[in-house]
Amino acid sequence: MPETFKIEPGSVQETLIIPLYGRKLCAEVFPSLYTDKSAKEVCSHIDYDFAEMDKQAKSSFWRFGALEAAMRQLDMEWEIRDYLFSHPNAAVVNMGCGLDQTGRACDNGTCLIYNVDLPDIIEAREELCPAFERELNIAGDLNDFTWMDGIDGSNGAVFFAAGVFCYLTFDQAKALAAKLAVRFPGGKLVFDIFGRLGKKLMRKTFKNFGMENFDDCLSVEDISEVEGWVPTARVSSRGYMLGYHDMDDPAVTCLHRFLARRCDGAVKMRIVRMDFA
């Protein structure tokens, strides 16, 4: 790992900072709930001004944002380990990986780990957390399905996307799921979604990413809207915040639990699982 890796404000690589900092913050504030030593280590090697984030991190709402990021990762880890239990040599594929280390966190010693993202992001990843044995970083656009050629799914494959599908259109998400089902029969796809209210709440984030046409981005009011994507797949969903874990940590406040219930309820934040036939 380099002594420092400079990330310029306004660059594509800057999009890595918020989720990475959120995981670092959550590991510090909610240590009995979430552990992520890699986030703190990677942050220490990034040349970037974290001063504003450090200031905001004292806010209960900012800490809840970090808690959201952590719960999503824990949900993904649960689904990955569930698949690896019956497919120990499977491919574990992190779509839109950023600097996330979920694949490594779930490593059972025999699975294959793949991280897929845009070239600029993979460049930063190679510098800050280079691939090890049984791990491969793939530079590519998720909507250009040629990246799938690099995946060895002969022993099964579990694909997961954390905070990614919300930036796709309905048609793009549907096409991606359908292609994965054809290319990797017996595989599994896991991703997070939210409803129309969630998309409104994300408006500022979308605009910060230069996405003025965010109205086209995916939102799902009812899981039945997803079930038709792959007619042969078995589709299920759980609440994002409380569907897998009870957030058992003394630092989780009553406000956090109230907001978590609202996220799973009114905002319709869900983890979707597709089991391909």
Side-chain angles (χ1 to χ4, degrees), residues 4 18 24 34 48-49 62 84 96 102-103 118 129 134 139 151 173 184 207 212 227 252 265:
T4 59
I18 292 178
K24 169 184 172 291
Y34 182 72
Y48 184 83
D49 186 2
W62 238 77
L84 289 177
T102 301
L118 297 171
C129 38
R134 291 183 293 102
I151 307 297
F184 303 95
K207 288 188 175 182
E212 296 298 330
E227 290 173 346
V252 175

Side-chain angles (χ1 to χ4, degrees), residues 25 30 59-69 241 247 255-261 263 269:
L25 176 61
F30 310 104
S59 158
S60 291
F61 286 99
W62 238 77
R63 293 189 172 194
F64 180 74
L67 186 60
E68 284 182 328
M241 298 298 295
M247 300 197 310
L255 174 62
H256 292 152
R257 292 189 179 278
F258 170 77
L259 292 173
R261 289 192 294 271
C263 285
M269 292 168 60

Side-chain angles (χ1 to χ4, degrees), residues 99-195:
L99 296 174
D100 171 51
Q101 300 290 349
T102 301
R104 294 186 188 183
C106 297
D107 184 18
N108 62 357
T110 58
C111 66
L112 303 177
I113 300 172
Y114 298 90
N115 305 297
V116 185
D117 215 319
L118 297 171
D120 284 354
I121 304 301
I122 292 299
E123 178 189 353
R125 185 179 184 93
E126 290 283 10
E127 287 287 333
L128 291 163
C129 38
F132 66 92
E133 186 181 6
R134 291 183 293 102
E135 184 178 29
L136 178 65
N137 295 329
I138 300 176
D141 185 330
L142 292 180
N143 295 312
D144 176 359
F145 302 148
T146 55
W147 65 265
M148 297 181 191
D149 296 339
I151 307 297
D152 178 4
S154 57
N155 293 303
V158 52
F159 298 84
F160 66 101
V164 172
F165 272 51
C166 61
Y167 295 101
L168 303 178
T169 67
F170 185 93
D171 288 341
Q172 286 173 335
K174 180 180 178 180
L176 177 56
K179 188 66 173 181
L180 289 172
V182 171
R183 289 286 301 269
F184 303 95
K188 174 177 174 179
L189 170 63
V190 185
F191 58 95
D192 59 288
I193 56 172
F194 46 62

